[in-house]
Amino acid sequence: MRRPAKSPPAGRRSAKPHPARAPAAKPYHHGDLRRVLIDAAMQLVGEGGPEAVSVREAARRAGVSPGAPFRHFPSRDALMNAVAEEAQRRFRAEIEAALADAPAGDPLGRFRCLGIAYLRWAMKNPTHFEIISSRRFFDHDRSAGVSSDNAELIGLTERILAEAFSAGQLGACNLKQVQIAGRALVYGFARMHIDGHMPRWGVGEAEVEQTAADVVDLFIAGIAGRAAPSAKV
Amino acid sequence: MRRPAKSPPAGRRSAKPHPARAPAAKPYHHGDLRRVLIDAAMQLVGEGGPEAVSVREAARRAGVSPGAPFRHFPSRDALMNAVAEEAQRRFRAEIEAALADAPAGDPLGRFRCLGIAYLRWAMKNPTHFEIISSRRFFDHDRSAGVSSDNAELIGLTERILAEAFSAGQLGACNLKQVQIAGRALVYGFARMHIDGHMPRWGVGEAEVEQTAADVVDLFIAGIAGRAAPSAKV
DNA sequence: TGTGAATGTAAGCACCGATTACAACGATTG
DNA sequence: CAATCGTTGTAATCGGTGCTTACATTCACA
């Protein structure tokens, strides 16, 4: 891409097409190039953000010619989509693991747990989170598998909120609004962290996790503590 | 950048160096190329997002050779920074105009007004908002003018919240947490809109402005309606 | 009237994404 | 066992990009 630098002609293999019939040297066919390319791209994302991913560099790291990746991905965007799907898969696994540990009897507690887990993962894997959330690198509607992943997560929070409401843990409120506001809150917080806004708001790296929890708690207190339906300002 | 396409060899001027001494034809010196380049870049941002900005295309639109912009901006990033400063200036003007119309006696109302204005501008100028908020295109710490712009806006909301607290419009709460949560909420909502998440959450383009207002109101109700200092969950 | 700083052009580098023609495998068949 | 054919790699190439350097032109000021 735009001057990723970092490529001194680091010893590429001498590119002999293939050593006749030495089976262990360097087989002409890579084995699982697709997988390796995705891994390389993820590594690149981790190093320099989504912009730093180039097909050529991924191919270089896979020890393969610049044109080879296009046998597996029709375009750079397709590669990015594959990376995003992988990231989304990991994200979902983390969320589900966190929810599995949460008490089933306390819906609002589960809601809180969801928010905390979301923020923790996003802040620990900032570039992966960025890839997932940006439509530029990942067309959710196009890739059915992940799209349903996402829809499932949305449905999950919807269900949890509905349970909380039924259990009387929520004041009078519009559940859809609560859901969107909650999502906007954690999404915004995560992106503020990623985009480097936190220092400007007086939140150091050390306090950011505590602040994340505080913010989630503040929101939950806001929707839970509604004494009367005098909510409308 | 990466295949912005859109450039059929549309009639470039025949590039005669300069017509001897015809003063009105095409002066060798552009006049205010810096300004024109920023405008062209802003236009490009509006058309295809920050990724779609290329120095060459900006130069093309300014009717100037590909190397000329580098007399005014040492790098593409510098150009993007200039674009971001311009966008930030417009953003700030909008916010201040909105606040000027808000009643002075109702701090919480002013806070609400601030949030609404923020969201309205962000959703009307999505790409400009994206540039402002992403550190990739704009290093806030580097450009003093805009940095202070931003610091002033942060200080402003801080003051408004403090006033609201003094006026008894807020329940017992940590003001800093409220400020960060509020920011995360509007930032997240704006970015969700930009990143195309809204359809997934069942919010159509027609309802998005109303939803934005609802979400702001929900948040304000949450921090205002605190009956007792039982805030901590 | 000169002269130097400012600002443009032209040419070229390295890198990128993407396409094409060709070569080497490897599995499926006859 | 061997021919074949689809898969997956290479090599070369194209146009686009950011950026640099050498050179040309103009403007403003001494």
Side-chain angles (χ1 to χ4, degrees):
Chain A
M1 130 139 350
R2 225 198 305 282
R3 199 81 344 95
K6 90 169 62 169
S7 40
R12 195 69 256 104
R13 247 89 94 241
S14 49
K16 54 177 155 180
H18 62 291
R21 64 194 61 184
K26 191 198 172 192
Y28 186 87
H29 283 64
H30 188 286
D32 193 1
L33 182 54
R34 186 190 156 87
R35 176 79 244 156
V36 173
L37 286 172
I38 293 178
D39 288 345
M42 286 201 94
Q43 198 181 338
L44 285 171
V45 170
E47 290 173 16
E51 320 274 292
V53 176
S54 87
V55 177
R56 285 181 118 91
E57 179 62 22
R60 217 169 284 138
R61 296 194 177 193
V64 110
S65 77
F70 291 90
R71 291 286 178 199
H72 299 269
F73 305 97
S75 70
R76 175 185 182 275
D77 283 349
L79 171 59
M80 296 303 281
N81 269 21
V83 172
E85 288 193 30
E86 177 67 24
Q88 171 89 7
R89 207 164 291 126
R90 296 187 191 178
F91 171 66
R92 192 185 178 208
E94 179 103 351
I95 293 292
E96 284 177 349
L99 269 187
D101 293 347
D106 174 18
L108 202 50
R110 286 172 71 80
F111 186 66
R112 175 181 187 278
C113 179
L114 191 68
I116 303 280
Y118 181 106
L119 283 173
R120 195 198 325 267
W121 189 86
M123 296 196 297
K124 244 189 218 157
N125 310 71
T127 49
H128 294 160
F129 178 79
E130 188 175 4
I131 280 204
I132 289 179
S133 52
S134 171
R135 186 152 263 225
R136 208 178 5 271
F137 306 116
F138 183 32
D139 190 342
H140 289 264
D141 303 329
R142 283 281 172 82
S143 51
V146 173
S147 174
S148 65
D149 260 25
N150 206 286
E152 240 177 85
L153 282 179
I154 293 179
L156 185 63
T157 71
E158 207 163 11
R159 240 173 296 131
I160 290 180
L161 273 178
E163 286 174 26
F165 184 78
S166 300
Q169 294 184 300
L170 260 47
C173 58
N174 181 323
L175 282 188
K176 186 179 170 187
Q177 283 174 18
V178 170
Q179 193 182 11
I180 291 178
R183 175 63 167 219
L185 188 79
V186 290
Y187 188 68
F189 193 96
R191 292 218 64 127
M192 282 175 71
H193 180 252
I194 291 172
D195 295 342
H197 293 194
M198 285 309 175
R200 274 188 270 148
W201 292 83
V203 178
E205 196 61 33
E207 335 159 50
V208 70
E209 194 149 351
Q210 180 59 50
T211 305
D214 289 342
V215 161
V216 170
D217 286 337
L218 178 72
F219 180 76
I220 289 183
I223 59 174
R226 288 313 217 334
S230 66
K232 264 300 186 201
V233 167
Chain B
M1 130 141 343
R2 228 197 303 283
R3 203 76 350 91
K6 90 171 60 171
S7 39
R12 195 69 257 104
R13 248 89 93 240
S14 49
K16 54 178 155 180
H18 62 291
R21 63 194 60 186
K26 192 197 170 193
Y28 186 87
H29 283 64
H30 187 286
D32 194 0
L33 182 55
R34 186 190 157 87
R35 177 76 245 160
V36 172
L37 286 172
I38 293 179
D39 288 346
M42 286 203 93
Q43 199 182 337
L44 285 170
V45 170
E47 290 172 14
E51 321 274 290
V53 176
S54 88
V55 177
R56 283 181 121 91
E57 180 61 23
R60 218 168 283 137
R61 297 195 176 193
V64 110
S65 77
F70 290 92
R71 292 286 177 196
H72 299 270
F73 305 98
S75 71
R76 175 187 182 273
D77 282 350
L79 172 60
M80 296 302 282
N81 269 22
V83 172
E85 289 193 29
E86 177 67 25
Q88 172 88 8
R89 208 164 292 129
R90 295 187 192 178
F91 172 65
R92 193 188 176 206
E94 179 103 349
I95 293 291
E96 285 177 348
L99 268 187
D101 292 347
D106 175 17
L108 203 52
R110 287 172 70 79
F111 185 66
R112 177 181 186 277
C113 178
L114 191 69
I116 303 280
Y118 181 106
L119 283 173
R120 194 199 322 269
W121 190 86
M123 295 195 299
K124 243 188 221 159
N125 310 70
T127 50
H128 293 161
F129 179 79
E130 187 175 5
I131 280 206
I132 290 180
S133 52
S134 169
R135 185 154 266 220
R136 210 183 0 277
F137 306 115
F138 183 33
D139 189 342
H140 288 265
D141 303 329
R142 283 281 172 81
S143 53
V146 174
S147 174
S148 65
D149 260 24
N150 206 288
E152 238 177 87
L153 281 180
I154 293 179
L156 184 63
T157 72
E158 206 164 11
R159 240 173 298 131
I160 291 180
L161 274 178
E163 285 173 27
F165 185 77
S166 300
Q169 293 184 301
L170 260 48
C173 59
N174 181 324
L175 282 188
K176 186 179 171 187
Q177 283 174 18
V178 170
Q179 193 182 11
I180 290 179
R183 175 64 168 218
L185 187 80
V186 290
Y187 188 66
F189 193 96
R191 290 219 64 124
M192 282 175 70
H193 180 252
I194 291 173
D195 295 342
H197 294 195
M198 283 310 175
R200 274 188 271 148
W201 292 83
V203 178
E205 196 61 32
E207 335 159 49
V208 70
E209 193 149 351
Q210 180 59 49
T211 305
D214 289 342
V215 161
V216 170
D217 286 337
L218 177 72
F219 179 77
I220 289 182
I223 59 175
R226 287 311 217 335
S230 66
K232 264 302 187 198
V233 166

